Amino acid sequence: MTSRLKKVELHCHLEGAAPPALSLAQARKYNIDVSEYLKDGTYVWHDFASFLECYDKISEVYKSAEDYALLTETYLAELADVGSIYSELIVSPDHGKRIGLGADAYIEGVCEGIRRAREASGIEARLIVTGERHFGPDSVVGAAEYAAKAQNPLITGFNLAGEERMGRVADYARAFDIARDIGLGLTIHAGEVCGAFSVADALDVVRPARIGHGVRAIEDSALVSRLADLGTVLEVCPGSNIALKVFPDFASHPLRKLKEAGVRVTISSDDPPFFHTSLKREYDLAASAFGFSDAEIDQLTRTGIEAAFVDEETRQALLARI
Ligand code: ADE
Ligand code: ZN
């Protein structure tokens, strides 16, 4: 349906994009039992907490720099195949440390995957380093310090993901100060599992250029106006929101209402195989479930490029392709 449209994605967790067949092959390679988390080609979870547990367990079957290169190259090739020209991948150097690979080797593997994919298809990609709330504020500060120290030109953003119900944004403010000081673009998961207050918190404490999800801002009309006035871009992931039961169905999902209220919105797939989706499906849903015309979908894509954490030359080159 949207096959001929160019696509961009600002919100996808690298390990969340792992195809189940690849994760199974990895688990076999390292003799890791994932049968509780991966059955019949499908990731197994039943609520947000068990999704995060499943995500963390599956991430552990990617162990070497080459594993991360392969995972990155595989996902970017899939994106390029459906007309994607730009991708921002959310990565966790702290995860590299936790699995004993080390943050540098983890990031080097991912960057190698980006180089291979760019060479094969021309797709551009950048990395957003994330901290994860459920590993605590110190680990989030560690992620920001890593991003500052790495001085890697492909690392252009900083995010906060994980268990949104753990702590308030203020508990993680120092990490955002570090990331802001070195010029990284800022985005933060909010208004997904927690209500509108978490989006207000993010604006009050961090004032990021973008918010991951942010869709529960719809519960507070003054907050929706504030987002529109500030020009904050929401990285909306409808398929993820329905899979995690943030909204019961697409008919009650607020993507269109937010756009009509003047909020700048984009669409992404978040953790595609975990949520039985893909970027292509999200674009198709924009048409079939939300009734957007091709011109309106191109506008979502353009907003994504305008809000991308890239240098101006790359941004203009991407805009010229829409
Ligand atoms: N980590 C991976 N996917 C996530 C999501 N949808 N929300 C918060 N943290 C995540
Ligand atoms: Zn996310």
Side-chain angles (χ1 to χ4, degrees), residues 6 8 10 233-234 236 238 255-256 259 263-268 282-283 285-287 290 292-307 322:
K6 293 279 191 285
V8 306
L10 299 185
V233 170
L234 301 188
V236 181
L255 174 62
R256 185 172 262 289
K259 188 168 188 301
V263 179
R264 300 173 74 203
V265 290
T266 63
I267 46 172
S268 291
E282 298 298 325
Y283 268 75
L285 284 166
F290 295 101
F292 289 122
S293 65
D294 282 2
E296 286 174 313
I297 295 173
D298 274 348
Q299 188 50 51
L300 301 177
T301 304
R302 236 177 256 117
T303 300
I305 298 172
E306 285 162 9
I322 302 301

PDB file of all heavy atoms in Angstrom, residues 6 8 10 233-234 236 238 255-256 259 263-268 282-283 285-287 290 292-307 322:
ATOM      1  N   LYS A   6       8.802   6.892   0.426  1.00  0.00           N
ATOM      2  CA  LYS A   6      10.061   6.866   1.177  1.00  0.00           C
ATOM      3  C   LYS A   6       9.715   6.876   2.665  1.00  0.00           C
ATOM      4  O   LYS A   6       8.700   7.441   3.083  1.00  0.00           O
ATOM      5  CB  LYS A   6      10.901   8.095   0.828  1.00  0.00           C
ATOM      6  CG  LYS A   6      11.395   8.080  -0.620  1.00  0.00           C
ATOM      7  CD  LYS A   6      12.626   7.193  -0.751  1.00  0.00           C
ATOM      8  CE  LYS A   6      13.298   7.359  -2.092  1.00  0.00           C
ATOM      9  NZ  LYS A   6      12.554   6.687  -3.177  1.00  0.00           N
ATOM     10  N   VAL A   8      11.215   6.964   6.927  1.00  0.00           N
ATOM     11  CA  VAL A   8      12.284   7.158   7.910  1.00  0.00           C
ATOM     12  C   VAL A   8      11.773   6.650   9.252  1.00  0.00           C
ATOM     13  O   VAL A   8      10.573   6.623   9.494  1.00  0.00           O
ATOM     14  CB  VAL A   8      12.732   8.638   8.060  1.00  0.00           C
ATOM     15  CG1 VAL A   8      13.115   9.248   6.742  1.00  0.00           C
ATOM     16  CG2 VAL A   8      11.693   9.469   8.759  1.00  0.00           C
ATOM     17  N   LEU A  10      12.632   7.016  13.469  1.00  0.00           N
ATOM     18  CA  LEU A  10      13.402   7.671  14.534  1.00  0.00           C
ATOM     19  C   LEU A  10      13.432   6.862  15.819  1.00  0.00           C
ATOM     20  O   LEU A  10      14.183   7.196  16.737  1.00  0.00           O
ATOM     21  CB  LEU A  10      12.790   9.053  14.858  1.00  0.00           C
ATOM     22  CG  LEU A  10      12.745  10.081  13.741  1.00  0.00           C
ATOM     23  CD1 LEU A  10      12.232  11.412  14.297  1.00  0.00           C
ATOM     24  CD2 LEU A  10      14.108  10.272  13.100  1.00  0.00           C
ATOM     25  N   VAL A 233       8.568  17.037  19.031  1.00  0.00           N
ATOM     26  CA  VAL A 233       8.179  15.979  18.085  1.00  0.00           C
ATOM     27  C   VAL A 233       7.925  14.669  18.842  1.00  0.00           C
ATOM     28  O   VAL A 233       8.760  14.241  19.649  1.00  0.00           O
ATOM     29  CB  VAL A 233       9.280  15.782  17.021  1.00  0.00           C
ATOM     30  CG1 VAL A 233       9.017  14.545  16.173  1.00  0.00           C
ATOM     31  CG2 VAL A 233       9.344  17.021  16.133  1.00  0.00           C
ATOM     32  N   LEU A 234       6.782  14.061  18.592  1.00  0.00           N
ATOM     33  CA  LEU A 234       6.478  12.764  19.204  1.00  0.00           C
ATOM     34  C   LEU A 234       6.856  11.635  18.246  1.00  0.00           C
ATOM     35  O   LEU A 234       6.456  11.637  17.082  1.00  0.00           O
ATOM     36  CB  LEU A 234       4.986  12.644  19.552  1.00  0.00           C
ATOM     37  CG  LEU A 234       4.409  13.681  20.516  1.00  0.00           C
ATOM     38  CD1 LEU A 234       2.977  13.292  20.910  1.00  0.00           C
ATOM     39  CD2 LEU A 234       5.269  13.861  21.759  1.00  0.00           C
ATOM     40  N   VAL A 236       5.836   8.456  17.515  1.00  0.00           N
ATOM     41  CA  VAL A 236       4.658   7.640  17.823  1.00  0.00           C
ATOM     42  C   VAL A 236       4.825   6.239  17.205  1.00  0.00           C
ATOM     43  O   VAL A 236       5.236   6.107  16.051  1.00  0.00           O
ATOM     44  CB  VAL A 236       3.374   8.325  17.282  1.00  0.00           C
ATOM     45  CG1 VAL A 236       2.145   7.494  17.630  1.00  0.00           C
ATOM     46  CG2 VAL A 236       3.236   9.730  17.865  1.00  0.00           C
ATOM     47  N   PRO A 238       2.383   3.317  16.848  1.00  0.00           N
ATOM     48  CA  PRO A 238       1.019   2.806  17.073  1.00  0.00           C
ATOM     49  C   PRO A 238       0.956   1.295  17.309  1.00  0.00           C
ATOM     50  O   PRO A 238       0.260   0.845  18.228  1.00  0.00           O
ATOM     51  CB  PRO A 238       0.269   3.217  15.807  1.00  0.00           C
ATOM     52  CG  PRO A 238       1.028   4.389  15.281  1.00  0.00           C
ATOM     53  CD  PRO A 238       2.466   4.112  15.606  1.00  0.00           C
ATOM     54  N   LEU A 255      -3.180   9.207  17.500  1.00  0.00           N
ATOM     55  CA  LEU A 255      -2.239   9.767  16.510  1.00  0.00           C
ATOM     56  C   LEU A 255      -2.870  10.912  15.715  1.00  0.00           C
ATOM     57  O   LEU A 255      -2.303  12.007  15.600  1.00  0.00           O
ATOM     58  CB  LEU A 255      -1.753   8.660  15.562  1.00  0.00           C
ATOM     59  CG  LEU A 255      -0.893   9.121  14.397  1.00  0.00           C
ATOM     60  CD1 LEU A 255       0.403   9.780  14.867  1.00  0.00           C
ATOM     61  CD2 LEU A 255      -0.553   7.954  13.458  1.00  0.00           C
ATOM     62  N   ARG A 256      -4.059  10.654  15.165  1.00  0.00           N
ATOM     63  CA  ARG A 256      -4.674  11.678  14.316  1.00  0.00           C
ATOM     64  C   ARG A 256      -5.071  12.915  15.130  1.00  0.00           C
ATOM     65  O   ARG A 256      -4.839  14.054  14.716  1.00  0.00           O
ATOM     66  CB  ARG A 256      -5.875  11.104  13.560  1.00  0.00           C
ATOM     67  CG  ARG A 256      -6.463  12.086  12.582  1.00  0.00           C
ATOM     68  CD  ARG A 256      -7.508  11.475  11.713  1.00  0.00           C
ATOM     69  NE  ARG A 256      -7.016  11.066  10.397  1.00  0.00           N
ATOM     70  CZ  ARG A 256      -6.671  11.903   9.414  1.00  0.00           C
ATOM     71  NH1 ARG A 256      -6.720  13.204   9.595  1.00  0.00           N
ATOM     72  NH2 ARG A 256      -6.262  11.431   8.255  1.00  0.00           N
ATOM     73  N   LYS A 259      -2.094  15.043  15.815  1.00  0.00           N
ATOM     74  CA  LYS A 259      -1.665  15.773  14.614  1.00  0.00           C
ATOM     75  C   LYS A 259      -2.612  16.952  14.349  1.00  0.00           C
ATOM     76  O   LYS A 259      -2.173  18.062  14.064  1.00  0.00           O
ATOM     77  CB  LYS A 259      -1.631  14.822  13.410  1.00  0.00           C
ATOM     78  CG  LYS A 259      -1.023  15.446  12.170  1.00  0.00           C
ATOM     79  CD  LYS A 259      -0.742  14.408  11.115  1.00  0.00           C
ATOM     80  CE  LYS A 259       0.045  14.967   9.938  1.00  0.00           C
ATOM     81  NZ  LYS A 259      -0.618  16.059   9.249  1.00  0.00           N
ATOM     82  N   VAL A 263       0.329  19.032  17.043  1.00  0.00           N
ATOM     83  CA  VAL A 263       1.551  18.403  17.564  1.00  0.00           C
ATOM     84  C   VAL A 263       2.310  17.782  16.389  1.00  0.00           C
ATOM     85  O   VAL A 263       1.706  17.194  15.482  1.00  0.00           O
ATOM     86  CB  VAL A 263       1.212  17.327  18.621  1.00  0.00           C
ATOM     87  CG1 VAL A 263       2.487  16.661  19.139  1.00  0.00           C
ATOM     88  CG2 VAL A 263       0.424  17.942  19.779  1.00  0.00           C
ATOM     89  N   ARG A 264       3.626  17.924  16.408  1.00  0.00           N
ATOM     90  CA  ARG A 264       4.448  17.343  15.342  1.00  0.00           C
ATOM     91  C   ARG A 264       4.645  15.852  15.643  1.00  0.00           C
ATOM     92  O   ARG A 264       5.180  15.496  16.693  1.00  0.00           O
ATOM     93  CB  ARG A 264       5.791  18.069  15.261  1.00  0.00           C
ATOM     94  CG  ARG A 264       5.617  19.561  14.974  1.00  0.00           C
ATOM     95  CD  ARG A 264       6.947  20.286  15.077  1.00  0.00           C
ATOM     96  NE  ARG A 264       7.791  19.991  13.927  1.00  0.00           N
ATOM     97  CZ  ARG A 264       9.117  20.107  13.941  1.00  0.00           C
ATOM     98  NH1 ARG A 264       9.740  20.466  15.045  1.00  0.00           N
ATOM     99  NH2 ARG A 264       9.814  19.833  12.851  1.00  0.00           N
ATOM    100  N   VAL A 265       4.190  15.000  14.730  1.00  0.00           N
ATOM    101  CA  VAL A 265       4.246  13.555  14.966  1.00  0.00           C
ATOM    102  C   VAL A 265       4.997  12.834  13.838  1.00  0.00           C
ATOM    103  O   VAL A 265       5.013  13.278  12.690  1.00  0.00           O
ATOM    104  CB  VAL A 265       2.827  12.935  15.110  1.00  0.00           C
ATOM    105  CG1 VAL A 265       2.170  13.385  16.404  1.00  0.00           C
ATOM    106  CG2 VAL A 265       1.936  13.277  13.917  1.00  0.00           C
ATOM    107  N   THR A 266       5.613  11.711  14.212  1.00  0.00           N
ATOM    108  CA  THR A 266       6.271  10.824  13.246  1.00  0.00           C
ATOM    109  C   THR A 266       5.856   9.397  13.604  1.00  0.00           C
ATOM    110  O   THR A 266       5.286   9.184  14.679  1.00  0.00           O
ATOM    111  CB  THR A 266       7.806  10.916  13.353  1.00  0.00           C
ATOM    112  OG1 THR A 266       8.192  10.473  14.665  1.00  0.00           O
ATOM    113  CG2 THR A 266       8.309  12.330  13.159  1.00  0.00           C
ATOM    114  N   ILE A 267       6.144   8.428  12.738  1.00  0.00           N
ATOM    115  CA  ILE A 267       5.778   7.045  13.070  1.00  0.00           C
ATOM    116  C   ILE A 267       6.992   6.117  13.017  1.00  0.00           C
ATOM    117  O   ILE A 267       7.848   6.243  12.143  1.00  0.00           O
ATOM    118  CB  ILE A 267       4.647   6.483  12.167  1.00  0.00           C
ATOM    119  CG1 ILE A 267       4.906   6.790  10.688  1.00  0.00           C
ATOM    120  CG2 ILE A 267       3.298   6.995  12.618  1.00  0.00           C
ATOM    121  CD1 ILE A 267       3.921   6.094   9.759  1.00  0.00           C
ATOM    122  N   SER A 268       7.013   5.184  13.976  1.00  0.00           N
ATOM    123  CA  SER A 268       8.118   4.233  14.103  1.00  0.00           C
ATOM    124  C   SER A 268       7.581   2.895  14.593  1.00  0.00           C
ATOM    125  O   SER A 268       6.408   2.782  14.973  1.00  0.00           O
ATOM    126  CB  SER A 268       9.146   4.761  15.111  1.00  0.00           C
ATOM    127  OG  SER A 268       9.816   5.888  14.611  1.00  0.00           O
ATOM    128  N   GLU A 282       3.644  -0.107   9.937  1.00  0.00           N
ATOM    129  CA  GLU A 282       3.261   1.158  10.574  1.00  0.00           C
ATOM    130  C   GLU A 282       2.844   2.180   9.507  1.00  0.00           C
ATOM    131  O   GLU A 282       1.879   2.916   9.689  1.00  0.00           O
ATOM    132  CB  GLU A 282       4.403   1.720  11.430  1.00  0.00           C
ATOM    133  CG  GLU A 282       4.824   0.815  12.586  1.00  0.00           C
ATOM    134  CD  GLU A 282       3.719   0.558  13.607  1.00  0.00           C
ATOM    135  OE1 GLU A 282       2.908   1.465  13.872  1.00  0.00           O
ATOM    136  OE2 GLU A 282       3.653  -0.572  14.125  1.00  0.00           O
ATOM    137  N   TYR A 283       3.568   2.215   8.389  1.00  0.00           N
ATOM    138  CA  TYR A 283       3.197   3.120   7.301  1.00  0.00           C
ATOM    139  C   TYR A 283       1.854   2.704   6.702  1.00  0.00           C
ATOM    140  O   TYR A 283       1.006   3.546   6.405  1.00  0.00           O
ATOM    141  CB  TYR A 283       4.301   3.162   6.227  1.00  0.00           C
ATOM    142  CG  TYR A 283       5.305   4.278   6.462  1.00  0.00           C
ATOM    143  CD1 TYR A 283       6.266   4.165   7.468  1.00  0.00           C
ATOM    144  CD2 TYR A 283       5.274   5.442   5.703  1.00  0.00           C
ATOM    145  CE1 TYR A 283       7.179   5.197   7.696  1.00  0.00           C
ATOM    146  CE2 TYR A 283       6.183   6.477   5.926  1.00  0.00           C
ATOM    147  CZ  TYR A 283       7.126   6.345   6.921  1.00  0.00           C
ATOM    148  OH  TYR A 283       8.018   7.369   7.138  1.00  0.00           O
ATOM    149  N   LEU A 285      -0.509   1.136   8.241  1.00  0.00           N
ATOM    150  CA  LEU A 285      -1.547   1.470   9.225  1.00  0.00           C
ATOM    151  C   LEU A 285      -1.881   2.964   9.204  1.00  0.00           C
ATOM    152  O   LEU A 285      -3.033   3.352   9.445  1.00  0.00           O
ATOM    153  CB  LEU A 285      -1.082   1.091  10.643  1.00  0.00           C
ATOM    154  CG  LEU A 285      -1.122  -0.399  10.989  1.00  0.00           C
ATOM    155  CD1 LEU A 285      -0.333  -0.671  12.271  1.00  0.00           C
ATOM    156  CD2 LEU A 285      -2.574  -0.874  11.137  1.00  0.00           C
ATOM    157  N   ALA A 286      -0.859   3.784   8.932  1.00  0.00           N
ATOM    158  CA  ALA A 286      -1.116   5.226   8.863  1.00  0.00           C
ATOM    159  C   ALA A 286      -2.214   5.489   7.836  1.00  0.00           C
ATOM    160  O   ALA A 286      -3.088   6.353   8.030  1.00  0.00           O
ATOM    161  CB  ALA A 286       0.149   5.980   8.503  1.00  0.00           C
ATOM    162  N   ALA A 287      -2.202   4.712   6.751  1.00  0.00           N
ATOM    163  CA  ALA A 287      -3.245   4.848   5.727  1.00  0.00           C
ATOM    164  C   ALA A 287      -4.517   4.108   6.132  1.00  0.00           C
ATOM    165  O   ALA A 287      -5.607   4.691   6.189  1.00  0.00           O
ATOM    166  CB  ALA A 287      -2.721   4.318   4.395  1.00  0.00           C
ATOM    167  N   PHE A 290      -5.588   4.941  10.184  1.00  0.00           N
ATOM    168  CA  PHE A 290      -5.706   6.349  10.576  1.00  0.00           C
ATOM    169  C   PHE A 290      -6.198   7.239   9.434  1.00  0.00           C
ATOM    170  O   PHE A 290      -6.437   8.428   9.626  1.00  0.00           O
ATOM    171  CB  PHE A 290      -4.366   6.865  11.112  1.00  0.00           C
ATOM    172  CG  PHE A 290      -3.946   6.174  12.382  1.00  0.00           C
ATOM    173  CD1 PHE A 290      -3.001   5.158  12.365  1.00  0.00           C
ATOM    174  CD2 PHE A 290      -4.528   6.513  13.598  1.00  0.00           C
ATOM    175  CE1 PHE A 290      -2.633   4.509  13.537  1.00  0.00           C
ATOM    176  CE2 PHE A 290      -4.162   5.868  14.776  1.00  0.00           C
ATOM    177  CZ  PHE A 290      -3.209   4.857  14.744  1.00  0.00           C
ATOM    178  N   PHE A 292      -4.717   8.460   6.774  1.00  0.00           N
ATOM    179  CA  PHE A 292      -3.845   9.496   6.206  1.00  0.00           C
ATOM    180  C   PHE A 292      -3.654   9.257   4.707  1.00  0.00           C
ATOM    181  O   PHE A 292      -3.483   8.115   4.256  1.00  0.00           O
ATOM    182  CB  PHE A 292      -2.475   9.496   6.892  1.00  0.00           C
ATOM    183  CG  PHE A 292      -2.484  10.007   8.310  1.00  0.00           C
ATOM    184  CD1 PHE A 292      -2.036   9.220   9.355  1.00  0.00           C
ATOM    185  CD2 PHE A 292      -2.949  11.289   8.605  1.00  0.00           C
ATOM    186  CE1 PHE A 292      -2.042   9.692  10.672  1.00  0.00           C
ATOM    187  CE2 PHE A 292      -2.955  11.772   9.914  1.00  0.00           C
ATOM    188  CZ  PHE A 292      -2.510  10.972  10.944  1.00  0.00           C
ATOM    189  N   SER A 293      -3.668  10.359   3.956  1.00  0.00           N
ATOM    190  CA  SER A 293      -3.383  10.270   2.516  1.00  0.00           C
ATOM    191  C   SER A 293      -1.870  10.110   2.319  1.00  0.00           C
ATOM    192  O   SER A 293      -1.090  10.341   3.254  1.00  0.00           O
ATOM    193  CB  SER A 293      -3.839  11.557   1.825  1.00  0.00           C
ATOM    194  OG  SER A 293      -3.042  12.638   2.304  1.00  0.00           O
ATOM    195  N   ASP A 294      -1.465   9.785   1.094  1.00  0.00           N
ATOM    196  CA  ASP A 294      -0.029   9.682   0.804  1.00  0.00           C
ATOM    197  C   ASP A 294       0.679  11.001   1.123  1.00  0.00           C
ATOM    198  O   ASP A 294       1.791  11.008   1.660  1.00  0.00           O
ATOM    199  CB  ASP A 294       0.208   9.327  -0.673  1.00  0.00           C
ATOM    200  CG  ASP A 294      -0.027   7.834  -0.932  1.00  0.00           C
ATOM    201  OD1 ASP A 294      -0.407   7.116   0.013  1.00  0.00           O
ATOM    202  OD2 ASP A 294       0.167   7.406  -2.091  1.00  0.00           O
ATOM    203  N   ALA A 295       0.023  12.118   0.782  1.00  0.00           N
ATOM    204  CA  ALA A 295       0.658  13.428   1.042  1.00  0.00           C
ATOM    205  C   ALA A 295       0.826  13.643   2.542  1.00  0.00           C
ATOM    206  O   ALA A 295       1.860  14.169   2.996  1.00  0.00           O
ATOM    207  CB  ALA A 295      -0.186  14.545   0.428  1.00  0.00           C
ATOM    208  N   GLU A 296      -0.174  13.226   3.322  1.00  0.00           N
ATOM    209  CA  GLU A 296      -0.054  13.378   4.785  1.00  0.00           C
ATOM    210  C   GLU A 296       1.036  12.462   5.344  1.00  0.00           C
ATOM    211  O   GLU A 296       1.769  12.843   6.266  1.00  0.00           O
ATOM    212  CB  GLU A 296      -1.400  13.064   5.461  1.00  0.00           C
ATOM    213  CG  GLU A 296      -2.444  14.159   5.274  1.00  0.00           C
ATOM    214  CD  GLU A 296      -3.804  13.761   5.825  1.00  0.00           C
ATOM    215  OE1 GLU A 296      -4.266  12.619   5.543  1.00  0.00           O
ATOM    216  OE2 GLU A 296      -4.413  14.589   6.537  1.00  0.00           O
ATOM    217  N   ILE A 297       1.140  11.261   4.779  1.00  0.00           N
ATOM    218  CA  ILE A 297       2.188  10.342   5.251  1.00  0.00           C
ATOM    219  C   ILE A 297       3.567  10.902   4.907  1.00  0.00           C
ATOM    220  O   ILE A 297       4.490  10.853   5.724  1.00  0.00           O
ATOM    221  CB  ILE A 297       1.973   8.923   4.667  1.00  0.00           C
ATOM    222  CG1 ILE A 297       0.660   8.349   5.213  1.00  0.00           C
ATOM    223  CG2 ILE A 297       3.143   8.007   5.024  1.00  0.00           C
ATOM    224  CD1 ILE A 297       0.242   7.025   4.596  1.00  0.00           C
ATOM    225  N   ASP A 298       3.700  11.486   3.709  1.00  0.00           N
ATOM    226  CA  ASP A 298       4.973  12.135   3.360  1.00  0.00           C
ATOM    227  C   ASP A 298       5.296  13.248   4.356  1.00  0.00           C
ATOM    228  O   ASP A 298       6.459  13.498   4.674  1.00  0.00           O
ATOM    229  CB  ASP A 298       4.906  12.721   1.943  1.00  0.00           C
ATOM    230  CG  ASP A 298       5.268  11.682   0.879  1.00  0.00           C
ATOM    231  OD1 ASP A 298       5.790  10.599   1.236  1.00  0.00           O
ATOM    232  OD2 ASP A 298       5.019  11.960  -0.310  1.00  0.00           O
ATOM    233  N   GLN A 299       4.239  13.916   4.844  1.00  0.00           N
ATOM    234  CA  GLN A 299       4.467  14.988   5.829  1.00  0.00           C
ATOM    235  C   GLN A 299       5.017  14.410   7.140  1.00  0.00           C
ATOM    236  O   GLN A 299       5.899  14.998   7.776  1.00  0.00           O
ATOM    237  CB  GLN A 299       3.179  15.788   6.068  1.00  0.00           C
ATOM    238  CG  GLN A 299       3.371  17.031   6.939  1.00  0.00           C
ATOM    239  CD  GLN A 299       4.539  17.921   6.474  1.00  0.00           C
ATOM    240  OE1 GLN A 299       4.626  18.285   5.298  1.00  0.00           O
ATOM    241  NE2 GLN A 299       5.472  18.229   7.388  1.00  0.00           N
ATOM    242  N   LEU A 300       4.506  13.243   7.546  1.00  0.00           N
ATOM    243  CA  LEU A 300       5.043  12.584   8.750  1.00  0.00           C
ATOM    244  C   LEU A 300       6.528  12.278   8.543  1.00  0.00           C
ATOM    245  O   LEU A 300       7.351  12.463   9.437  1.00  0.00           O
ATOM    246  CB  LEU A 300       4.310  11.266   9.044  1.00  0.00           C
ATOM    247  CG  LEU A 300       2.788  11.292   9.275  1.00  0.00           C
ATOM    248  CD1 LEU A 300       2.256   9.867   9.486  1.00  0.00           C
ATOM    249  CD2 LEU A 300       2.442  12.145  10.476  1.00  0.00           C
ATOM    250  N   THR A 301       6.845  11.805   7.347  1.00  0.00           N
ATOM    251  CA  THR A 301       8.235  11.455   7.024  1.00  0.00           C
ATOM    252  C   THR A 301       9.121  12.704   7.049  1.00  0.00           C
ATOM    253  O   THR A 301      10.226  12.690   7.593  1.00  0.00           O
ATOM    254  CB  THR A 301       8.297  10.780   5.638  1.00  0.00           C
ATOM    255  OG1 THR A 301       7.418   9.649   5.667  1.00  0.00           O
ATOM    256  CG2 THR A 301       9.700  10.323   5.292  1.00  0.00           C
ATOM    257  N   ARG A 302       8.579  13.788   6.474  1.00  0.00           N
ATOM    258  CA  ARG A 302       9.341  15.047   6.453  1.00  0.00           C
ATOM    259  C   ARG A 302       9.586  15.547   7.877  1.00  0.00           C
ATOM    260  O   ARG A 302      10.687  15.991   8.221  1.00  0.00           O
ATOM    261  CB  ARG A 302       8.572  16.101   5.641  1.00  0.00           C
ATOM    262  CG  ARG A 302       9.398  16.665   4.525  1.00  0.00           C
ATOM    263  CD  ARG A 302       8.633  17.661   3.670  1.00  0.00           C
ATOM    264  NE  ARG A 302       8.249  17.046   2.425  1.00  0.00           N
ATOM    265  CZ  ARG A 302       7.023  16.838   1.999  1.00  0.00           C
ATOM    266  NH1 ARG A 302       5.981  17.214   2.727  1.00  0.00           N
ATOM    267  NH2 ARG A 302       6.790  16.251   0.862  1.00  0.00           N
ATOM    268  N   THR A 303       8.552  15.438   8.724  1.00  0.00           N
ATOM    269  CA  THR A 303       8.721  15.840  10.136  1.00  0.00           C
ATOM    270  C   THR A 303       9.843  15.011  10.771  1.00  0.00           C
ATOM    271  O   THR A 303      10.657  15.524  11.536  1.00  0.00           O
ATOM    272  CB  THR A 303       7.397  15.637  10.914  1.00  0.00           C
ATOM    273  OG1 THR A 303       6.396  16.440  10.305  1.00  0.00           O
ATOM    274  CG2 THR A 303       7.540  16.016  12.384  1.00  0.00           C
ATOM    275  N   GLY A 304       9.864  13.717  10.432  1.00  0.00           N
ATOM    276  CA  GLY A 304      10.913  12.847  10.965  1.00  0.00           C
ATOM    277  C   GLY A 304      12.301  13.343  10.564  1.00  0.00           C
ATOM    278  O   GLY A 304      13.223  13.366  11.383  1.00  0.00           O
ATOM    279  N   ILE A 305      12.440  13.746   9.319  1.00  0.00           N
ATOM    280  CA  ILE A 305      13.762  14.218   8.864  1.00  0.00           C
ATOM    281  C   ILE A 305      14.100  15.560   9.521  1.00  0.00           C
ATOM    282  O   ILE A 305      15.237  15.790   9.944  1.00  0.00           O
ATOM    283  CB  ILE A 305      13.800  14.318   7.324  1.00  0.00           C
ATOM    284  CG1 ILE A 305      13.588  12.931   6.705  1.00  0.00           C
ATOM    285  CG2 ILE A 305      15.137  14.906   6.856  1.00  0.00           C
ATOM    286  CD1 ILE A 305      13.415  12.937   5.194  1.00  0.00           C
ATOM    287  N   GLU A 306      13.071  16.431   9.621  1.00  0.00           N
ATOM    288  CA  GLU A 306      13.330  17.734  10.269  1.00  0.00           C
ATOM    289  C   GLU A 306      13.804  17.542  11.710  1.00  0.00           C
ATOM    290  O   GLU A 306      14.591  18.330  12.223  1.00  0.00           O
ATOM    291  CB  GLU A 306      12.046  18.588  10.243  1.00  0.00           C
ATOM    292  CG  GLU A 306      11.759  19.167   8.859  1.00  0.00           C
ATOM    293  CD  GLU A 306      10.310  19.623   8.698  1.00  0.00           C
ATOM    294  OE1 GLU A 306       9.569  19.643   9.698  1.00  0.00           O
ATOM    295  OE2 GLU A 306       9.932  19.931   7.563  1.00  0.00           O
ATOM    296  N   ALA A 307      13.282  16.486  12.359  1.00  0.00           N
ATOM    297  CA  ALA A 307      13.602  16.261  13.782  1.00  0.00           C
ATOM    298  C   ALA A 307      14.768  15.290  13.968  1.00  0.00           C
ATOM    299  O   ALA A 307      15.133  14.976  15.113  1.00  0.00           O
ATOM    300  CB  ALA A 307      12.366  15.726  14.496  1.00  0.00           C
ATOM    301  N   ILE A 322      12.427  13.125  -0.526  1.00  0.00           N
ATOM    302  CA  ILE A 322      10.988  12.853  -0.268  1.00  0.00           C
ATOM    303  C   ILE A 322      10.139  13.440  -1.396  1.00  0.00           C
ATOM    304  O   ILE A 322      10.228  14.611  -1.695  1.00  0.00           O
ATOM    305  CB  ILE A 322      10.526  13.470   1.083  1.00  0.00           C
ATOM    306  CG1 ILE A 322      11.375  12.919   2.216  1.00  0.00           C
ATOM    307  CG2 ILE A 322       9.037  13.181   1.327  1.00  0.00           C
ATOM    308  CD1 ILE A 322      11.332  11.418   2.357  1.00  0.00           C
TER     309      ILE A 322
END
